[in-house]
Amino acid sequence: MHEAVMAGARPPVPPRAIVSHSWSRMTEFGLTADRVNKRAIFAADEVARRRYDSPLRDVVDRIAEMFHAASDAATMMLVVTDAEGAVLWRAGAAAVRRRADALEFTEGADWTEAKVGTNAIGTALAEAAPVELLAGEHFEQGQHPWYCSAAPIHDPRTGELLGVIDVSGPALSLHPAVGMLVEAATRLAEAELWRSHQKRLDALRQVAEPLLAGGRGPALVVDDNGWVAHRAGVAVADRIAAPRAGRAVAVPGLGAWLPERLPNGWLVRPMGRGRTVLLDLDLSGAPVLRASTGDTTWCRSITRRHAQILSLLHAAGPAGLTAAALSRSLFGDPDHLVTVRAEVSRLRRLLGAVVDTRPYRLAEGVRLTLHSGR
């Protein structure tokens, strides 16, 4: 199949759609299929910096424990990258790692499609979805003796892409359970990140308790991403917009609130009047969102994807949309659930609980007006 496609002939078996799309991208990158393309390797100090900056440093040991407990670990290699596709950690059998060294599949290597062609890590980043590739599905012939199975990891607090978990090994040793192992490792990593998040909220709550003693009226204690650690005299969702110094936060149903800085978080108290959040989305050019509640207004640019989501939820009305329905509207199929959830999470971080979940819909007390222009 690979030889026929590269020669411009009709293959006996057509490549899968995800493979065909990736191979098409390779022509834009100018990569060669019949040799190992030149690798980009980060210096050791840069790898150390990326490891330190990555939230995955706190969970990589747990991922490795799960990997080593697998029955076929002796024939596999575990790889964890950052969001830019740089390999930060490896684990696995020495023999497999030596074979990987020959491909420069090593710590510090840039394993994006633009550098090494179609591979599970780079293609998972490009497709924002789990990917499993076998032998000749790789673009480079040097990778044909391998299989690889990878999945993106997202920050459960923000939806931000943190990196990719990959399991690779000799092509003839691929077992159907490899994909399930990668999926389980991804879920474990995100669960551990969420557990750490809850511990930080608990610590923030303890710091803020003395400030809330005496009942000075409604107040919220939130972290830097707007997750609520404590509520006093008010019922709100589990998240508001990420606070910024000197800028009021629009809380649906409660109006404008003003944040005050705390160590590792914010104390947020009500201000002004008005309980309805009015949103005005201008689509005549680059999307611009204006919000007002009571006497408080603000304006900011948003991405086209976030503008699409707000427009679709506005059209759906109170019934809202499931993640699968939103995926169909955005991508033409229901298979991009991970990407949809990550995008909505980022939107909620930016705007707070103006979007409710299960199903996705505009929150009660939010009114949206669209100006589509031409």
Side-chain angles (χ1 to χ4, degrees), residues 192-371:
E192 288 294 313
L193 289 167
W194 183 255
R195 189 173 294 112
S196 297
H197 163 64
Q198 292 292 341
K199 289 180 178 178
R200 286 190 290 270
L201 288 184
D202 290 340
L204 179 57
R205 185 180 303 113
Q206 294 175 9
V207 169
E209 280 179 353
L211 299 174
L212 299 175
R216 292 171 51 198
L220 298 173
V221 177
V222 303
D223 70 3
D224 288 335
N225 293 306
W227 287 98
V228 178
H230 184 69
R231 304 166 179 83
V234 66
V236 297
D238 56 0
R239 192 176 185 181
I240 66 172
R244 297 182 184 179
R247 176 178 291 182
V249 178
V251 181
L254 297 174
W257 290 49
L258 191 64
E260 306 169 30
R261 196 65 167 124
L262 296 175
N264 301 316
W266 301 83
L267 175 64
V268 190
R269 298 184 185 277
M271 61 171 292
R273 298 178 179 179
R275 300 171 66 87
T276 300
V277 177
L278 302 177
L279 299 179
D280 187 286
L281 180 57
D282 186 352
L283 300 175
S284 59
V288 174
L289 186 68
R290 296 177 177 85
S292 62
T293 177
D295 299 328
T296 303
T297 62
W298 51 257
C299 175
R300 66 184 59 164
S301 298
I302 62 173
T303 66
R304 293 190 179 278
R305 180 67 75 209
H306 287 166
Q308 284 181 303
I309 292 172
L310 288 173
S311 300
L312 289 168
L313 297 182
H314 173 67
L321 295 170
T322 64
L326 195 52
S327 175
R328 279 192 292 268
S329 297
L330 293 172
F331 303 105
D333 61 60
D335 300 329
H336 289 72
L337 299 183
V338 173
T339 304
V340 164
R341 290 172 182 140
E343 287 289 356
V344 173
S345 183
R346 283 190 284 269
L347 179 61
R348 282 166 61 85
R349 181 180 185 274
L350 178 67
L351 303 179
V354 298
V355 174
D356 280 341
T357 59
R358 299 180 183 177
Y360 295 127
R361 61 196 184 281
L362 294 179
E364 184 179 356
V366 175
R367 302 290 180 267
L368 176 64
T369 302
L370 295 179
H371 299 282

Side-chain angles (χ1 to χ4, degrees), residues 77 90-102 105-107 146:
M77 182 176 75
R90 293 193 315 171
V96 180
R97 284 187 282 116
R98 283 194 297 270
R99 291 184 63 178
D101 290 344
F105 193 11
T106 60
E107 288 89 343
W146 291 80

Side-chain angles (χ1 to χ4, degrees), residues 17-38:
I18 194 169
V19 175
S20 179
H21 294 160
S22 178
W23 285 358
S24 296
R25 291 192 290 268
M26 297 310 101
T27 58
E28 301 175 7
F29 297 144
L31 300 182
T32 302
D34 59 0
R35 61 174 173 81
V36 173
N37 291 274
K38 181 176 177 57

